[in-house]
Amino acid sequence: MTSSPHTPAVEANFDGLVGPTHNYAGLAQGNLAAAKNADLPSNPREAALQGLAKMRALHDIGMAQGVLPPQERPNLPALRRLGYNGKDRQVLERVAREAPGLLAAVSSASSMWTANAGTVSPSADTADGLLHFTPANLCSNLHRSFEPETSGRVLRATFPDAAHFAHHDALPATPAMGDEGAANHTRLCGEYGEPGLELFVYGAGNADEPAPGKFPARQTRAACEALARLHELSTGSTRQQLQNPDVIDQGVFHNDVIAVGNREVLLYHQDAFVDADGLRNWISAQWRGSRTPVFLEVSRDRVSVEDAVSSYLFNSQLICPPDGSMRLVVSSECQENPRVWAQIEQLIEDRANPLSQVQVFDLRQSMRNGGGPACLRLRVVLTEAERAAVNANSWLTPERHAELVGWVQQHYRDRLVLADLADPQLLDESRTALDRLTQILGLGSIYEFQR
Ligand code: SUG
């Protein structure tokens, strides 16, 4: 197949920096790692450095790598909205005494998982030719419901030029419109700059569709439909796909825990979808790309859903560095599981698919909260003109990487337990750190404490 005329584009990854209050509070129902590790002491410094090491390695193999800042935590404005008033110190002391669960919720560093910051549609797919962003409302969990407002501000500051970027408000934050962003959105295409197919995966659909019984389905079909309308996607190039409710009940709280797509490749577990045949047929029928779609189905006999969830095999990043290879970026948990590792080796060795390399990262600090390599990044396909319009300091360069490492070492603690969240000193440290960060990243005053 030959490539149709199009504006060339690259796929950039915008990773979330882990914030200074990174902790394990067991807040996310249906997320098995988070539940299992609740109350463990965390190491925010190590967490942030692990994330930065991944960003640097991807930069070094020629990927366009960006950085998104953490949010203000503990979230004092949220506590004031809930009726806690007085001096910051008094607010922290009172909420710690009366509602420690709420203090944990307003202190979570969960904005690090930028795959949940929003949904992004490249300009090649949209009717108005703009690159569209909609922050996810994350209304299924209290601690995550505090993110969308600042996420919207961060996205606008990072992608500021209205001539290229269209920013929407988050969908109404109510269970009927639950939206968790790019974690449930997959784009397939021939070349990144060609028009692609956008796949929206939901767990909560119409009344006659099967639903999970144990854990919540966080993504709704109604939200997927609204996103496709807002982003001006054509109906022939979008599909709302039902997730298998049984896997949600086994800990697959986002589709990116059981499937990942990149360019023409869809890598997914046999049990990921209701009607995977229908999905493949639709992709093949609607395909306009210059490469042939490649479906890599991992069978349950080789990798069980349990292995997939504990290793986060499908939460790998599937990337195309400029050397022409296609690589899988995996967490070290994949290497430690012999069945998962054997599957990865087979995929890499099989010449019939484009995957040719694997790169392993220690992301344990994030993984203990159920956040793997793919959770930590928001993918944004950018033409050259769009890339030039991104806020310049949001790009990771070797110099900015070194500056951020120094910033983490200066401002972050190496141990945090839940009792520390009430420490007014931690609030001061976090604000000092974030204030400095907005200068490093050249973002302006995005935090309420700066306004
Ligand atoms: O929403 N964990 C996050 C993990 C998000 C992973 N993102 C993707 N799959 N894209 C969540 O479940 C745990 C926080 C705690 O328990 O302290 C948490 O929020």
Side-chain angles (χ1 to χ4, degrees):
M1 285 186 223
T2 51
S3 174
S4 51
H6 65 272
T7 310
V10 296
E11 184 182 83
N13 288 290
F14 286 80
D15 279 46
L17 260 175
V18 181
T21 61
H22 162 62
N23 69 81
Y24 302 118
L27 299 174
Q29 206 202 348
N31 173 337
L32 304 185
K36 181 171 149 214
N37 296 307
D39 294 340
L40 220 67
S42 63
N43 183 336
R45 185 187 299 168
E46 185 176 59
L49 294 177
Q50 287 175 346
L52 278 164
K54 172 167 88 77
M55 294 185 223
R56 177 66 202 258
L58 265 61
H59 165 274
D60 287 352
I61 57 169
M63 297 292 294
Q65 179 67 57
V67 186
L68 298 176
Q71 301 200 0
E72 173 185 354
R73 299 288 182 272
N75 188 341
L76 266 290
L79 290 174
R80 292 187 189 285
R81 219 179 311 142
L82 294 170
Y84 289 94
N85 43 41
K87 296 214 159 63
D88 288 347
R89 161 182 301 269
Q90 292 165 329
V91 168
L92 286 172
E93 188 272 322
R94 184 172 161 207
V95 72
R97 185 165 29 87
E98 291 179 2
L102 179 59
L103 178 58
V106 298
S107 303
S108 177
S110 52
S111 67
M112 72 175 90
W113 300 299
T114 52
N116 307 120
T119 302
V120 185
S121 294
S123 51
D125 298 354
T126 65
D128 61 6
L130 296 176
L131 206 167
H132 287 244
F133 296 87
T134 301
N137 62 29
L138 296 171
C139 65
S140 297
N141 287 283
L142 178 64
H143 68 296
R144 304 222 60 182
S145 72
F146 299 123
E147 294 172 44
E149 200 182 321
T150 305
S151 294
R153 241 183 269 151
V154 164
L155 290 172
R156 284 171 201 267
T158 309
F159 305 95
D161 188 345
H164 293 289
F165 307 123
H167 292 275
H168 304 279
D169 291 335
L171 302 178
T174 186
M177 278 290 163
D179 173 25
E180 304 259 327
N184 295 314
H185 175 245
T186 305
R187 177 177 191 258
L188 298 170
C189 58
E191 297 285 349
Y192 291 119
E194 292 175 27
L197 299 181
E198 296 201 20
L199 180 64
F200 293 85
V201 180
Y202 64 93
N206 302 330
D208 59 348
E209 292 181 297
K214 191 170 163 200
F215 293 140
R218 300 194 198 178
Q219 185 78 31
T220 61
R221 183 182 177 114
C224 298
E225 290 168 350
L227 290 166
R229 280 190 299 272
L230 281 169
H231 291 196
E232 303 191 20
L233 306 175
S234 71
T235 40
S237 65
T238 57
R239 179 176 167 100
Q240 278 75 36
Q241 172 65 42
L242 180 60
Q243 200 180 358
N244 177 355
D246 296 341
V247 300
I248 297 178
D249 282 339
Q250 292 172 75
V252 181
F253 55 93
H254 290 137
N255 178 60
D256 70 2
V257 177
I258 201 82
V260 56
N262 172 51
R263 222 176 52 189
E264 78 278 26
V265 177
L266 183 63
L267 172 65
Y268 63 99
H269 191 274
Q270 182 179 7
D271 293 327
F273 308 111
V274 167
D275 191 19
D277 286 347
L279 172 61
R280 279 191 308 269
N281 291 340
W282 177 82
I283 291 170
S284 301
Q286 299 307 112
W287 194 260
R288 302 285 177 273
S290 58
R291 290 187 167 83
T292 311
V294 176
F295 301 108
L296 300 175
E297 182 176 284
V298 173
S299 77
R300 67 178 84 90
D301 296 338
R302 296 208 56 181
V303 175
S304 64
V305 173
E306 192 184 346
D307 279 338
V309 171
S310 62
S311 68
Y312 264 36
L313 163 61
F314 298 94
N315 201 262
S316 303
Q317 286 175 254
L318 201 49
I319 57 169
C320 296
D323 67 4
S325 67
M326 191 183 288
R327 306 189 186 198
L328 209 50
V329 171
V330 308
S331 63
S332 38
E333 283 78 356
C334 288
Q335 208 167 19
E336 288 156 13
N337 180 318
R339 295 169 298 281
V340 169
W341 193 247
Q343 176 65 69
I344 290 174
E345 286 191 315
Q346 192 232 302
L347 285 167
I348 299 302
E349 279 155 24
D350 183 355
R351 294 282 162 86
N353 75 62
L355 266 78
S356 55
Q357 293 193 49
V358 59
Q359 220 163 332
V360 184
F361 289 90
D362 178 357
L363 296 166
R364 260 174 247 279
Q365 286 289 330
S366 169
M367 283 288 287
R368 286 194 193 116
N369 258 335
C375 301
L376 287 161
R377 60 91 176 100
L378 183 67
R379 294 191 277 189
V380 185
V381 167
L382 296 161
T383 64
E384 206 172 314
E386 291 160 352
R387 193 172 173 176
V390 173
N391 173 55
N393 285 22
S394 296
W395 292 114
L396 193 87
T397 59
E399 296 72 31
R400 198 157 292 114
H401 172 260
E403 195 173 9
L404 290 170
V405 167
W407 169 81
V408 169
Q409 279 161 344
Q410 182 183 351
H411 295 285
Y412 279 52
R413 298 187 181 188
D414 62 5
R415 183 185 152 88
L416 206 67
V417 293
L418 295 180
D420 296 327
L421 300 175
D423 179 2
Q425 187 67 35
L426 179 69
L427 176 66
D428 284 352
E429 287 165 21
S430 304
R431 285 183 177 162
T432 306
L434 296 191
D435 200 37
R436 173 76 194 114
L437 182 67
T438 50
Q439 292 163 15
I440 297 175
L441 299 181
L443 289 172
S445 300
I446 50 170
Y447 301 115
E448 290 195 35
F449 74 86
Q450 295 175 312
R451 293 172 160 219

